[in-house]
Amino acid sequence: MSNVWERIKPSKRKLVQLYSALLYNAYLKGFIKGGIYTGKVKSVCVPGFNCYSCPGAVGACPLGSLQGALATAHDRIGFYVFGILILYALIAGRTICGWICPLGLIQELVHKIPTPKLKKSKVTRILSYLKYVFLAVFVVFIPLYIGFTKDMTVPGFCKYICPAGTFEGAVGLLANPANTSLYGMLGIYFTRKFVILAVIGLACVFIYRAFCRFICPLGAIYGLFNKFALIGVKVDESSCTNCGLCVKKCKMDVLHVNDQECIQCGKCIDVCAKGAISLKAGKIVLKSSDITLKALPEEEKTAVTKKRKNIATIAWGIALAVLVFALVWFNFLDPASKTGVAYSPNTTAEEGETVIGFEPGQQLDDFTIECLDGSSFHLKDYRGKIVVLNLWATYCGPCVEELPSFCDFATKHSDDTVVLAVHHPLVTKPVEPFVKDHGWTIPVAVDQEDPRIMWDKVGGTDAMPQTIILDKNGIVIENHRGSLTPEMLEAYYAKAAEVEYKGEEAAE
C-alpha cells in the first residue's frame, strides 16, 4: 500500500497549486448559491490567472484589471493595477505561473490524460512568442483604442479569448441549477469563446501547458521579470558543467534555466547531476537537489533535514491557518456573504398570493434610491406606470451601447412609462460626467456597496446589462439578463401594457 501511495501522492508543488486555487476561490457559498462574491476584497488582484466571475473568486484577475486600467487611461491612470503587477513580477516572476496559478494546475491535470504527446521543438519555441502578440493586441491595443475613441471599457482578451473566463466564470455559473435563467443571455460571443475553450483544452491534452506557452499574456508579462525576480530558479555557475540536461528535460520552451519561458517549477533541480540548480528566495534556499544534501556529513545532513522539516511544518501551519480564516471570513463573517445573490425566485407562494421577488409574476420589493440629479426614485410612487429598470456600468460595453435606445424609449412612452438606469456599486470612473458626455436623458442612480439598495432586490449580477420590466401594479413582467434591442424592449412594453392597473389598494 505504501508503494502505491508513493506513486500517486501529490508533489509539494501540486499541493501548493491546490492550496492557491482554493484560497483564490474561498467563497464556497458561490458554488452552492450560483452567485459571485461582491465584497470589498474583490477589488484586490490575486497574482495568478483566476476569473473575477468565478462563483468562488474572492479577488480580481490581474489581467482583467490591467485591461480595465488601460481602457480608462484617458481619464485616469490605474497606478494600483500597474503597481501591483510590477510588484508581483519583481517578487516572483513566472514562479506565479508554475506554483500558484489555478489555470496552470488545470492544464497540467488535463495533460495527464494518456495520449501521445507533442514534444517541444524549434517550432514550439517560435510559437511561444505568440503570447506577446496576444498581449500587444488584445490586452493593450483593443482596450486603449476603444477606450480613447469610444470612451468604452472593452477588455479585449477577456471578451474574445480568455478560457479562464469561459470555464471558471460562464460555465461555473451556468452549471448551477439556480442560474437556468442566464441561458437566455447566451449569444455568439459565448459560442465562440466556448469553442476556443474546447480547442485550448484539447491542445493541453497533447501539449504541455499549451495556453501558458503560446497564448497567456500574463505569463508574457511575468516572464520579462524572471531575471530580476526575488524568487526563482538559480544556477551555481561554479558547479554547472553546461551539460544541457536541464533544458532537455524541461517541458517548457526554455533556452536556458530562468529565461522568460521558465515557470520556475523546479523540475530541473531533480535532473541536475551536479546539484547546481536550486530554487531560492533571495539567499534563502526553498528547494535544492538531494545530491547536495547527500554530500554533507551525516551529522550536518541530519541537522539540515530537521531544519527543513521544521520550516515546512511552520510554513504549512501558517498557510492552513490563513486558509481556514479565509474560508470562515468569506463564507460566514463578511457582510457580503450574507447578501449574495441567488438567481432563483426569492420565495414560494400559495395560489393567489402575491410574492415579493424578482422573477416574472412576483412583485418587486419597494426601494428608494437617490439619483444623480438630486431627486429620489421611490418605486411605489410609480404605481400606475410601467417601470423599466436597467442595470449597467461605465465599464460594460454592451451597457453603454444599448442605453441610447432606452432614452429614446423613455421619450416615446413618457405618458405611461418611467425608465431608471442604476449603475453597479463598483465605480471605476465618475458616473455623472460620463452620463452628461453621452447626453442621456433618463434618470440615473448609483447603487451603494453595503448594503446595496436594489441590486439584490432585482437579482442583479455582474453579468450586465440587465433589465427588469414591471407592469403598472409593480409585478415583474420580465427580468432580462443581457442586451436588449429596441424591438425586444417594445415587445416587453406591449406585454406590460396589456395588464390592467388594479389601483393602490390592490398594489399594496
Side-chain angles (χ1 to χ4, degrees):
M1 183 63 70
S2 60
N3 291 335
V4 174
W5 171 244
E6 287 297 322
R7 289 197 302 269
I8 65 171
K9 73 175 182 179
S11 64
K12 291 180 180 178
R13 187 170 73 92
K14 283 289 185 290
L15 290 175
V16 173
Q17 288 176 300
L18 288 168
Y19 171 86
S20 300
L22 184 53
L23 187 61
Y24 287 179
N25 298 285
Y27 184 58
L28 301 183
K29 288 174 71 172
F31 295 103
I32 299 170
K33 295 168 59 178
I36 68 172
Y37 173 73
T38 56
K40 294 180 179 180
V41 182
K42 196 64 176 282
S43 60
V44 179
C45 294
V46 298
F49 222 128
N50 196 68
C51 183
Y52 180 99
S53 297
C54 178
V58 297
C61 172
L63 195 66
S65 300
L66 175 61
Q67 293 169 83
L70 290 171
T72 57
H74 60 291
D75 285 335
R76 59 187 177 85
I77 300 175
F79 289 109
Y80 161 72
V81 177
F82 293 111
I84 199 70
L85 263 176
I86 293 173
L87 179 64
Y88 287 150
L90 287 174
I91 292 176
R94 290 201 79 179
T95 305
I96 294 169
C97 306
W99 289 78
I100 57 174
C101 179
L103 195 58
L105 172 62
I106 293 171
Q107 290 177 83
E108 291 183 11
L109 294 176
V110 168
H111 190 66
K112 287 184 176 294
I113 297 174
T115 58
K117 307 299 180 183
L118 180 68
K119 296 181 179 180
K120 66 179 182 178
S121 62
K122 290 182 179 180
V123 174
T124 61
R125 175 69 187 184
I126 294 172
L127 290 175
S128 68
Y129 288 99
L130 277 175
K131 57 181 170 286
Y132 297 98
V133 177
F134 284 105
L135 173 63
V137 175
F138 290 93
V139 176
V140 178
F141 175 75
I142 290 178
L144 277 176
Y145 177 76
I146 298 180
F148 273 90
T149 59
K150 298 184 179 181
D151 196 20
M152 291 170 54
T153 302
V154 177
F157 190 81
C158 295
K159 182 174 182 178
Y160 300 114
I161 296 175
C162 185
T166 309
F167 179 70
E168 298 177 357
V171 176
L173 288 171
L174 292 171
N176 194 299
N179 293 336
T180 53
S181 61
L182 294 180
Y183 283 94
M185 66 181 292
L186 301 181
I188 186 63
Y189 284 123
F190 175 79
T191 303
R192 289 174 182 171
K193 286 189 66 178
F194 191 82
V195 171
I196 291 172
L197 170 66
V199 171
I200 292 175
L202 186 62
C204 290
V205 174
F206 303 97
I207 306 170
Y208 182 75
R209 279 189 174 236
F211 176 78
C212 291
R213 290 162 68 182
F214 311 134
I215 300 175
C216 182
L218 189 60
I221 296 172
Y222 287 151
L224 298 174
F225 290 82
N226 261 359
K227 293 182 180 180
F228 316 105
L230 177 68
I231 302 173
V233 176
K234 312 297 180 183
V235 179
D236 181 0
E237 299 294 343
S238 63
S239 302
C240 179
T241 60
N242 296 311
C243 66
L245 188 61
C246 51
V247 174
K248 183 179 179 181
K249 292 292 184 180
C250 181
K251 294 181 180 180
M252 299 296 288
D253 296 285
V254 299
L255 290 178
H256 56 81
V257 173
N258 200 32
D259 68 8
Q260 74 273 14
E261 297 303 319
C262 177
I263 59 172
Q264 318 290 346
C265 66
K267 290 182 180 179
C268 54
I269 297 172
D270 301 324
V271 301
C272 180
K274 299 297 181 180
I277 308 175
S278 58
L279 180 65
K280 294 183 176 181
K283 293 184 179 181
I284 301 174
V285 178
L286 302 176
K287 181 180 180 182
S288 62
S289 173
D290 290 338
I291 296 173
T292 306
L293 185 62
K294 290 177 181 177
L296 297 174
E298 193 63 35
E299 186 176 334
E300 189 175 348
K301 184 195 304 182
T302 303
V304 171
T305 302
K306 184 177 180 180
K307 182 179 179 181
R308 287 183 179 179
K309 286 183 178 179
N310 289 339
I311 292 174
T313 301
I314 294 171
W316 276 111
I318 295 173
L320 289 174
V322 169
L323 180 60
V324 170
F325 173 78
L327 291 172
V328 173
W329 172 259
F330 289 114
N331 292 283
F332 301 104
L333 302 181
D334 189 350
S337 69
K338 301 171 185 178
T339 59
V341 178
Y343 307 124
S344 57
N346 298 34
T347 56
T348 56
E350 299 296 333
E351 186 176 354
E353 180 184 352
T354 300
V355 178
I356 299 298
F358 51 74
E359 297 292 342
Q362 298 177 338
Q363 186 174 70
L364 192 66
D365 195 10
D366 189 34
F367 65 86
T368 301
I369 192 167
E370 299 298 319
C371 297
L372 296 178
D373 60 7
S375 64
S376 294
F377 186 99
H378 186 193
L379 182 60
K380 281 190 177 180
D381 290 345
Y382 296 97
R383 290 287 190 262
K385 283 197 170 188
I386 295 169
V387 178
V388 178
L389 306 171
N390 178 258
L391 307 187
W392 74 290
T394 56
Y395 48 83
C396 168
C399 300
V400 177
E401 288 179 357
E402 74 171 8
L403 270 172
S405 65
F406 279 80
C407 294
D408 295 339
F409 172 84
T411 301
K412 180 179 178 181
H413 299 287
S414 58
D415 291 340
D416 64 346
T417 302
V418 60
V419 179
L420 173 69
V422 183
H423 192 283
H424 191 280
L426 176 63
V427 177
T428 60
K429 64 168 65 176
V431 179
E432 188 170 2
F434 185 90
V435 172
K436 288 182 178 179
D437 289 344
H438 285 78
W440 296 333
T441 55
I442 58 176
V444 177
V446 178
D447 206 0
Q448 62 187 34
E449 276 194 40
D450 186 20
R452 294 184 290 187
I453 294 173
M454 64 163 289
W455 215 262
D456 293 338
K457 292 181 184 293
V458 299
T461 77
D462 282 358
M464 296 171 287
Q466 182 175 343
T467 304
I468 302 90
I469 295 93
L470 310 179
D471 68 19
K472 296 176 182 180
N473 303 297
I475 304 298
V476 179
I477 292 294
E478 185 63 37
N479 192 332
H480 183 93
R481 297 177 176 93
S483 297
L484 278 177
T485 64
E487 293 75 19
M488 294 169 67
L489 191 55
E490 288 290 346
Y492 288 139
Y493 165 79
K495 185 177 180 181
E498 292 175 356
V499 180
E500 181 182 353
Y501 179 48
K502 299 177 181 179
E504 289 295 332
E505 293 183 2
E508 291 297 329

